[in-house]
Amino acid sequence: RKEVEQDPGPFNVPEGATVAFNCTYSNSASQSFFWYRQDCRKEPKLLMSVYSSGNEDGRFTAQLNRASQYISLLIRDSKLSDSATYLCVVNTISGTYKYIFGTGTRLKVLA
Amino acid sequence: NAGVTQTPKFRILKIGQSMTLQCAQDMNHNYMYWYRQDPGMGLKLIYYSVGAGITDKGEVPNGYNVSRSTTEDFPLRLELAAPSQTSVYFCASSYQRGTGEQFFGPGTRLTVL
């Protein structure tokens, strides 16, 4: 089992739609969780950290379910500019702190 | 404030050649990382550093070496390039160790023929 797993997609959604991505992680001792956005042929950039109580930033909502070991990202009112790959990142402690990256979920928002 | 910079942006190497990928950050971050990203794959950690003079191996260190003589610079050395090292290489830095945001450079696209 991979340490961090994501559905690769692509998710093709029309503008204005709501779309949700899940990410599962295998290490129950993981402490920090993030969603990064990566545009084609560009570097990843932090979209949002994920807090235990869930958190929202504009149209984006992130949630953490420790019992089931998954995090989610909800995007409301999708824009064309949301088209990108969304990377789930989990901090795991195995002797030292490491960021473990999922392979990403591709989103295409269609006009 | 340039953030994290990487040079070169692109490079083609022949099998057996060597090169150094440069990475610099101006945010005074102690923690720096080198990743490689293969098509359709997640980022894999090659090496990381927790401060000047201190480096350690990540998941995929074979064929690479690093040094960290200053807080700002973290070069990655490829010795005896192989086709399996064809990838996109990202350097990153962070203020906190494992719990904070990582800032990435724009990447170096390396092809080994």
Side-chain angles (χ1 to χ4, degrees), chain A residues 50-71:
Chain A
V50 186
Y51 303 119
S52 296
S53 55
N55 47 301
E56 190 173 304
D57 183 2
R59 297 181 294 109
F60 299 86
T61 300
Q63 294 202 316
L64 167 64
N65 185 318
R66 284 192 185 274
S68 300
Q69 294 183 208
Y70 76 84
I71 66 172

Side-chain angles (χ1 to χ4, degrees), chain A residues 3 31-32 34 36 38 40-46 49 87 89 91 95-104, chain B residues 10 33 35 37 40-43 45 48 58-59 90 94 96-107 109:
Chain A
E3 290 186 82
Q31 291 195 326
S32 303
F34 310 88
Y36 277 73
Q38 186 173 26
C40 188
R41 303 178 71 80
K42 298 283 191 180
E43 73 272 24
K45 292 185 179 177
L46 181 68
S49 301
L87 305 175
V89 184
N91 156 251
T96 183
Y97 289 92
K98 283 198 305 184
Y99 296 91
I100 306 297
F101 285 76
T103 54
Chain B
F10 305 93
Y33 316 81
Y35 294 92
Q37 185 177 35
M41 305 294 287
L43 277 74
L45 183 65
Y48 67 98
E59 300 171 76
F90 289 105
S94 68
Q96 292 171 295
R97 183 179 182 181
T99 58
E101 177 180 1
Q102 287 189 305
F103 296 84
F104 285 84
R109 281 172 173 72

Side-chain angles (χ1 to χ4, degrees), chain B residues 83-111:
Chain B
S84 60
Q85 293 178 305
T86 294
S87 191
V88 180
Y89 292 84
F90 289 105
C91 178
S93 72
S94 68
Y95 176 68
Q96 292 171 295
R97 183 179 182 181
T99 58
E101 177 180 1
Q102 287 189 305
F103 296 84
F104 285 84
T108 294
R109 281 172 173 72
L110 175 67
T111 302

Side-chain angles (χ1 to χ4, degrees), chain A:
Chain A
R1 183 182 173 187
K2 289 183 181 177
E3 290 186 82
V4 176
E5 291 201 72
Q6 294 183 252
D7 182 340
F11 285 61
N12 296 321
V13 302
E15 267 188 294
T18 295
V19 62
F21 310 135
N22 281 343
C23 166
T24 58
Y25 61 94
S26 61
N27 190 336
S28 60
S30 298
Q31 291 195 326
S32 303
F33 309 89
F34 310 88
W35 284 103
Y36 277 73
R37 172 193 169 125
Q38 186 173 26
D39 293 300
C40 188
R41 303 178 71 80
K42 298 283 191 180
E43 73 272 24
K45 292 185 179 177
L46 181 68
L47 178 67
M48 56 198 304
S49 301
V50 186
Y51 303 119
S52 296
S53 55
N55 47 301
E56 190 173 304
D57 183 2
R59 297 181 294 109
F60 299 86
T61 300
Q63 294 202 316
L64 167 64
N65 185 318
R66 284 192 185 274
S68 300
Q69 294 183 208
Y70 76 84
I71 66 172
S72 63
L73 177 68
L74 182 78
I75 305 175
R76 289 181 300 277
D77 190 22
S78 299
K79 312 290 184 193
L80 293 174
S81 57
D82 293 334
S83 296
T85 296
Y86 292 83
L87 305 175
C88 171
V89 184
V90 174
N91 156 251
T92 197
I93 305 168
S94 57
T96 183
Y97 289 92
K98 283 198 305 184
Y99 296 91
I100 306 297
F101 285 76
T103 54
T105 297
R106 273 187 62 200
L107 171 66
K108 292 183 71 173
V109 181
L110 307 171

Side-chain angles (χ1 to χ4, degrees), chain B residues 31-68:
Chain B
Y31 306 108
M32 295 188 74
Y33 316 81
W34 273 107
Y35 294 92
R36 60 177 287 172
Q37 185 177 35
D38 299 323
M41 305 294 287
L43 277 74
K44 299 292 185 188
L45 183 65
I46 305 171
Y47 270 95
Y48 67 98
S49 169
V50 301
I54 307 170
T55 62
D56 206 349
K57 295 177 180 178
E59 300 171 76
V60 290
N62 291 343
Y64 307 95
N65 275 302
V66 294
S67 59
R68 184 100 181 268

